Every structure is written in C-alpha cells, then in structure tokens.
Amino acid sequence: MAEHTDNQHDIGKPFDCIILGGGPAGLAAAVYMGRYLRPTLLIDEKAPRTRWHRPTAHNVLGYPAGIQRSQLLEWGRAHVALYESVQTRNATVLDIRIHKDLFVLTDDDNQRRVARGLILCPGIEYLLPDFPDVFAYAGISMHHCPECDGYKCIGKHVAVIGTGRGSADMALNLTTWTDHITLCTNAQDPDCDDECVRKLAAANIAIDLRPITALTGNPEDGKLEAFVFADGARLSIDHAFANLGTDNPVELLRQLPLDLQKGRWIKVDHRMRTNIPRCYAAGDIVAYAQTQLSVAMGTGATAAIWLHKELLPDTMCLAREW
Ligand SMILES: Cc1cc2nc3c(=O)[nH]c(=O)nc-3n(C[C@H](O)[C@H](O)[C@H](O)COP(=O)(O)OP(=O)(O)OC[C@H]3O[C@@H](n4cnc5c(N)ncnc54)[C@H](O)[C@@H]3O)c2cc1C
C-alpha cells in the first residue's frame, strides 16, 4: 500500500476515524469513510501476516471462477486511494489506549496517531497442523473453511483434522459434498460426546486416532495424496480440513476495555458497534463472524456507516438509530 500520511493528526488534531487493518473489512470501511469526506487513517501492516498460500477465493459475487485475494486487495487499495480524506500508513499497531475520549494508537515505528472513532479489523490467522511442508498445500488441498472449499470436494476423499464437537460438526457438514470422510484426531483425545459418536457413525465417518507423521502429495501443485500414520499405514485423501483453532490478536484487543467473547472475539451489535463509544469492529475478528470476504466487506461497510452517524453533530441529524 503506498504510504500517504502527515503528522498534523498527532495528539491535538485527531482523525475522525482510524481503521486498524487493511484487509477486505478495513478497505471497505475506508471507502465509506472517504465518501463521507471523513479525515481517516487506515493502518495496515507492511507485509501480509498470513502464511496461507491461497491463489483463489470463492463465493464473491461476480467472480464465478474465483478471485485472487491479492488482486481484490490491490483493487481495494486503488479504490481507497481515490478519496483525499483517507490516508494510509504501513505499520503494525502495537498499543491502543483511550485518552480524554480519543483513541491513541502507537505503531512499531513509534508513531502515535489519535482519532475520535476507531474501527478494528485486524483479522485472525487459522492454525495448521505442524508438518514441515504444510504451507505448500494450504489453500489448495489443505483448507479450514467448508463454505470456501467444500464445493471442490464433491465425491472426493476428505479428512478433517481436529477434535471435539466443532470438528465432528465440520465432518458432518462436509457430507453436503461427499460420503468419503474421515475424522483424524492425530493422537489427540477425540473429545466426542455420545451425540457426536452416534451422528458420525450414522454418516459413515470413521474416527482415526493414529498419530499422523507426514503428508504426501505434490508440493509443487499443492495437491495432497495421503496422510501417513505412525504405523506406516496411509489414508488416501484429496482434500483435508484443519479445525485447529485460530490465532487472534488478543494482546492488542485486551488493551481496550472491550467486551470479548471467550476473551478472543470482539462482541458487536448489529451495527458492528462494540461496548465502547465510537469503537466498532468488522471482519473475521468479530464474535460469531461468518469468515467470508463478502461478509468482511459488508461488516466493514456497516461499521463505517454507523460510526459516521455517531460522529455527526446534533445539528446534522434528527436520530442516530433508525
Ligand atoms: C486460506 C484462506 C482461504 C479463504 N478462502 C475464502 C474464500 O474462498 N471465500 C471467502 O469468501 N473467504 C475466504 N477466506 C476468508 C477471507 O479471506 C476472510 O474472511 C477475510 O479476509 C477477512 O477479512 P478481514 O479484513 O477481517 O481480515 P484480514 O483479511 O485478515 O485482514 C486483516 C489485516 O489487518 C492487518 N493487521 C492485523 N493486525 C494489525 C496490526 N496490529 N496493525 C496493523 N495491521 C494489522 C493484517 O496484516 C491484515 O492485512 C479465506 C481465508 C483463508 C485464510
């Protein structure tokens, strides 16, 4: 992202809005703020955080063959750059606090920026099993999201790696596309209650407890062929779904008195408003988010619309909530 900032909005001259995170949610929010002519700063890290190799994203209206995420972000940044009131900064925000009703953000270049409003869009990172070459398959045949990639699995051999009701639920959901599913716990306690066991058995989904020692496949084209177990046996697979949790920026979030779900997800109302006045959140970091590009963009837009209304002076509105 081309950097375009000035220093006049340091303590003393606040931005109307700082948007933390320049993914689909933050970029969508920035477009709205630009069209509201709001002095806004979008802060996004210098390099993408994610190690997922992901050529194509699906379910985005108008792109039936999928859209490269990097292309979508590039177009989003070009769109945001059209609006003079929006500045961008490439840095990692390390510290957020509230001082005299203003949000004060300090980044890794030790630059401090202040704003009346804040939209938090830092995203999350999906965890993968710990195999040396796992990122060669990630996003091509190693997935985390049935909504994104289940459609590729019609009639294919699929494994879910994980434990507990969430993994059992994912395995059951995948029967939408295929009957060839195995739930692999990779030597962990399956943590499946009676309902899980009963429904998995009824769907012909085996639970395999053996430790997985290696992945085989073609790292060049990213296509998995099998899991290799500690006893030397192989499970042939075309696709795998990891349900191993997420890495959320909890240290950052806990610097604010935010209501968090399970200490990791930002609770918002239907306007994407947090419990803190003039502080909104959007995208994957929101509690119960459907982690999809279209949803991230939609929630970013919603956050910007309602922050704009909250910032309007009384003389410019009759009601703030319709
Ligand atoms: C492998 C994979 C495949 C996917 N496939 C699909 C698909 O097919 N279809 C679909 O609809 N969705 C898909 N998704 C989901 C989609 O990509 C996400 O829902 C969407 O990117 C979330 O947008 P976001 O803006 O909330 O977060 P992100 O896209 O994660 O963006 C967050 C941004 O904030 C930045 N940031 C974080 N912390 C800081 C900080 N402290 N300071 C400054 N910047 C910070 C990050 O660097 C990043 O640029 C996929 C996701 C993954 C990982």
Side-chain angles (χ1 to χ4, degrees):
M1 188 181 294
E3 197 160 320
H4 164 51
T5 62
D6 64 25
N7 288 323
Q8 62 172 326
H9 292 281
D10 206 338
I11 295 282
K13 184 156 175 50
F15 287 93
D16 280 357
C17 172
I18 291 179
I19 300 168
L20 191 162
L27 288 166
V31 166
Y32 279 74
M33 282 304 179
R35 295 177 72 85
Y36 287 132
L37 311 177
R38 292 262 179 215
T40 295
L41 178 64
L42 173 66
I43 308 180
D44 193 36
E45 288 179 306
K46 293 178 180 119
R49 174 172 300 207
T50 184
R51 292 173 63 208
W52 282 83
H53 168 62
R54 174 72 200 184
T56 312
H58 300 280
N59 301 334
V60 183
L61 194 65
Y63 299 96
I67 171 82
Q68 286 198 352
R69 188 187 138 88
S70 55
Q71 177 68 79
L72 193 68
L73 293 176
E74 194 183 316
W75 285 336
R77 290 190 281 262
H79 189 167
V80 168
L82 296 176
Y83 303 107
E84 280 185 18
S85 74
V86 182
Q87 301 178 22
T88 58
R89 175 166 179 74
N90 293 131
T92 299
V93 174
L94 300 178
D95 188 86
I96 313 178
R97 55 195 66 210
I98 301 172
H99 178 70
K100 293 184 180 167
D101 258 3
L102 295 173
F103 298 99
V104 183
L105 283 73
T106 308
D107 64 36
D108 56 348
D109 291 328
N110 210 22
Q111 294 293 303
R112 198 170 45 157
R113 296 289 186 272
V114 293
R116 299 163 62 210
L118 178 64
I119 303 180
L120 296 165
C121 315
I124 56 174
E125 181 77 2
Y126 286 88
L127 300 179
L128 281 172
D130 191 16
F131 299 112
D133 49 356
V134 71
F135 281 99
Y137 302 101
I140 299 171
S141 57
M142 174 74 77
H143 315 288
H144 70 275
C145 163
E147 284 68 32
C148 306
D149 296 301
Y151 189 74
K152 292 176 182 156
C153 299
I154 297 172
K156 304 282 187 189
H157 287 84
V158 173
V160 172
I161 311 176
T163 60
R165 283 180 68 86
S167 301
D169 190 55
M170 182 183 276
L172 290 167
N173 293 175
L174 284 163
T175 59
T176 303
W177 297 282
T178 181
D179 296 328
H180 312 296
I181 302 169
T182 308
L183 176 57
C184 295
T185 70
N186 195 17
Q188 302 298 307
D189 176 353
D191 192 19
C192 283
D193 58 24
D194 288 349
E195 184 189 9
C196 293
V197 171
R198 188 167 30 84
K199 288 188 174 172
L200 290 170
N204 265 331
I205 298 172
I207 305 177
D208 197 317
L209 307 178
R210 290 174 291 181
I212 304 167
T213 52
L215 309 176
T216 64
N218 183 350
E220 295 297 314
D221 65 12
K223 290 190 179 155
L224 278 169
E225 287 166 8
F227 287 167
V228 182
F229 295 108
D231 60 7
R234 292 161 57 94
L235 175 71
S236 292
I237 49 168
D238 303 300
H239 294 272
F241 286 78
N243 186 46
L244 300 173
T246 58
D247 184 8
N248 298 20
V250 288
E251 283 178 22
L252 196 66
L253 302 185
R254 287 178 187 166
Q255 293 171 10
L256 290 172
L258 284 166
D259 275 353
L260 299 176
Q261 190 228 357
K262 295 185 178 171
R264 297 158 49 75
W265 308 95
I266 303 176
K267 288 189 186 175
V268 289
D269 66 11
H270 62 287
R271 296 187 174 91
M272 312 314 292
R273 191 168 46 182
T274 73
N275 58 303
I276 301 172
R278 291 171 279 103
C279 179
Y280 292 66
D284 284 2
I285 193 61
V286 162
Y288 307 111
Q290 280 83 51
T291 53
Q292 294 285 283
L293 289 163
S294 55
V295 177
M297 290 188 272
T299 54
T302 304
I305 287 169
W306 290 101
L307 174 58
H308 166 68
K309 290 195 195 303
E310 192 175 345
L311 290 173
L312 286 174
D314 286 342
T315 51
M316 285 180 70
C317 62
L318 296 175
R320 289 171 200 281
E321 298 192 2
W322 298 96

